[in-house]
Amino acid sequence: MSVADSTTADIGLPEEKVAELAIDKNDNVEKESDDDEDGEEEEGAGEGEKTQKKKRKNKKKNKKKKKTGLGAAGQTSPPSIPVSQLFPNNSYSVGQICDYVDDNKYRTTSEEMRARDRLSEQKLVDLRRAAEVHREVRQYARSVIRPGMDLTTIAEMIENGTRTLVEERGFESGIGFPTGLSINHCAAHYTPNAGDFVEIKEDDVLKVDFGVHVNGHIIDSAFTMAWNDRYKPLLDAVKDATNTGIREAGIDVRLGDIGAAIQEVMESYEIELDGKVLPIRPIRNLCGHNIGQYLIHSGKSVPIVANRDQTRMEEGELFAIETFGTTGSGYVQEEGVCSHYAKTSDGQPRLPSAKKLLHSITKNFGTLPFCRRYLDRIGEKQYYLGLRHLVDQDIVTAYPPLVDIKGSYTAQAEHTFILRPTVKEVLSRGDDY
C-alpha cells in the first residue's frame, strides 16, 4: 500500500439524489442458447466415401433478462450509493457458509431445520445488508488510510460512509458503535474526541473496529493495518487465531474449548523486533461476545485463552469472534481519556443537566454505544458534568481505552457469524479478510 501522500478523503452524503445514479436493470443479462439438431447423420453408400458430419442449427430463443442490481461492483469511490439500491429486492450477498460437522451434521439437510431457518429470514436480510455496508466502507477505508492521516479524519470518513450506505434512520439503521482507532500498545476502545488530531506514523500498528446495524442487528468486525513489514507475523497471528475460533465455533460447543484452540494458535507465532525474538501472546482479559438486538455485548463471552467455562453456544445466536495479540504482557488495563459510553440501566439521575442528557441519549442511541463526538453532532453542549453524573450513578457505563505496557504492539481481527439452524454463516467475511 502506498504511503507517499496523506489522503483526507471524506465520504459524505451526496448532495444530489442517489437515484440519479440509476441502475441499468438490463445489466447482467443471462444469455441462453439451446442447440437443436436439424438433420441426421448420413452414412456413405459406397466404399471410400466419407461419413458426413452431423449438422446442427442454433434455434433462436428470446434472451432471458435477469433483472438484478449492479451489486458492490456498481459502487462509487468514495462509496456514496446506499447498498439497498445496489442490491434490489433484498438480494444481499450471503456470507461464508460453513456446514456443521459431527453430531450436528444432520442439520444441513434436515427439513425441520430448514423450516426453522425460514423463520429468521428477515433478521438474515438485515444482517447481510449491514455486512455489505461494512465490506464496502472498509474496502475504501483500507485503500486510503495511511501515515500522515489524523484519527478524526479517519473516524469521520468511516462513519459518514456508514451513514450514507446504510441510509441512517435512527433505530432503523445506522452506526453500531463508535469507530475504534487504537494505536500500538492501545488495544481497544479508543476513538478521537473533539480536537484530537493524532496522526498515524509510519511505524504504527492501527486497529480499526467499527459496527453497522439494521433494525438493531449489529455487524461487528475489525482489522489491523501496519505499514512496516516487520509486523506481519503479529497481523498473521490474530487472523489465524480468529479464523480458528470461527472454525471451532458451533451449536453446543463450549466457550472454554474455543478459547483453548485460539490460544494454541496465537502462541505458535513469534516476531522479531529490533533484533529480539518475542512471543506473541493473546490478551487474556479481552474476549469475543454474543450480540443481541441493540446490544453489542449480550451476556456470553468467548475467551481467547483456555479456561473452564462450560457455557455452550446455542442455535440462533449471533457472535463476534475477536482475538487480540500482543508483544507485551498479555493483559490490558484502563488508561487515558474516555470516549466510549453506553446506557446500561434505566435509573433516574438527580442532577437536572443529567436528566436532560439522559433523555437525549435514550432518544438518539438507546442501548447502542456512543462517544462524545456523537453528542457534539446532535447538538449537546456543556454535557460533561451531566455525563459524569450518569456514569457515577451506573446509568451509563464508561469504556476507557484499554492498553498493554508502553512500547508493546497489539493487533486485532474480528468477524461476526450466526449459528443458523442449518449452517454457520460468517456474515462479515469478504475478499479482504
Side-chain angles (χ1 to χ4, degrees), residues 254-366:
R254 293 182 179 90
L255 300 181
D257 293 343
I258 297 174
I262 289 172
Q263 181 177 7
E264 181 178 4
V265 169
M266 185 84 76
E267 291 180 347
S268 70
Y269 284 82
E270 57 186 22
I271 185 171
E272 183 176 347
L273 296 176
D274 301 325
K276 295 181 180 179
V277 177
L278 303 173
I280 295 176
R281 299 184 174 97
I283 299 179
R284 60 186 181 274
N285 59 331
L286 291 179
C287 54
H289 49 92
N290 66 337
I291 303 173
Q293 192 169 15
Y294 299 104
L295 288 172
I296 190 59
H297 290 184
S298 189
K300 291 183 180 179
S301 296
V302 185
I304 61 174
V305 293
N307 67 20
R308 297 179 181 179
D309 190 347
Q310 299 298 301
T311 305
R312 296 176 184 265
M313 291 183 163
E314 299 175 63
E315 178 187 311
E317 287 187 312
L318 184 69
F319 279 93
I321 290 281
E322 57 182 322
T323 69
F324 295 83
T326 180
T327 63
S329 68
Y331 187 87
V332 292
Q333 56 187 357
E334 297 178 350
E335 182 181 291
V337 178
C338 187
S339 56
H340 283 60
Y341 301 87
K343 178 185 171 185
T344 49
S345 78
D346 293 320
Q348 293 299 319
R350 296 187 298 272
L351 199 65
S353 62
K355 287 182 180 179
K356 176 179 175 295
L357 180 61
L358 179 60
H359 174 76
S360 182
I361 290 170
T362 303
K363 177 182 176 182
N364 289 280
F365 312 114

Side-chain angles (χ1 to χ4, degrees), residues 24-78:
D24 183 1
K25 292 185 178 179
N26 293 327
D27 281 351
N28 299 324
V29 175
E30 184 179 351
K31 298 180 180 180
E32 294 185 354
S33 61
D34 292 334
D35 293 336
D36 288 359
E37 292 186 12
D38 188 30
E40 296 180 355
E41 183 176 352
E42 299 179 4
E43 296 181 358
E47 212 175 284
E49 290 184 14
K50 296 181 179 179
T51 301
Q52 294 185 5
K53 294 182 179 179
K54 190 182 289 184
K55 298 179 181 177
R56 294 179 182 271
K57 184 187 295 181
N58 290 336
K59 183 178 178 181
K60 292 184 178 179
K61 299 185 77 176
N62 292 330
K63 292 179 180 178
K64 187 177 179 181
K65 297 179 180 178
K66 188 177 179 181
K67 294 184 179 180
T68 63
L70 293 175
Q75 188 57 264
T76 60
S77 181

Side-chain angles (χ1 to χ4, degrees), residues 151-152 155-156 159 163 178-179 181 191-194 339 370-378 383:
L151 298 186
T152 296
E156 291 179 349
E159 290 162 359
R163 292 182 179 111
T179 302
L181 297 171
T191 198
N193 289 319
S339 56
F370 61 94
C371 63
R372 285 157 64 176
R373 283 186 296 105
Y374 294 1
L375 294 177
D376 299 334
R377 189 173 184 270
I378 62 175
Y383 54 77

Side-chain angles (χ1 to χ4, degrees), residues 161-199:
T162 298
R163 292 182 179 111
T164 300
L165 269 58
V166 82
E167 298 168 276
E168 183 180 44
R169 292 190 182 94
F171 294 115
E172 183 179 325
S173 57
I175 291 171
F177 54 85
T179 302
L181 297 171
S182 305
I183 297 175
N184 298 339
H185 72 293
C186 181
H189 293 174
Y190 188 98
T191 198
N193 289 319
D196 183 342
F197 295 102
V198 171
E199 292 186 355

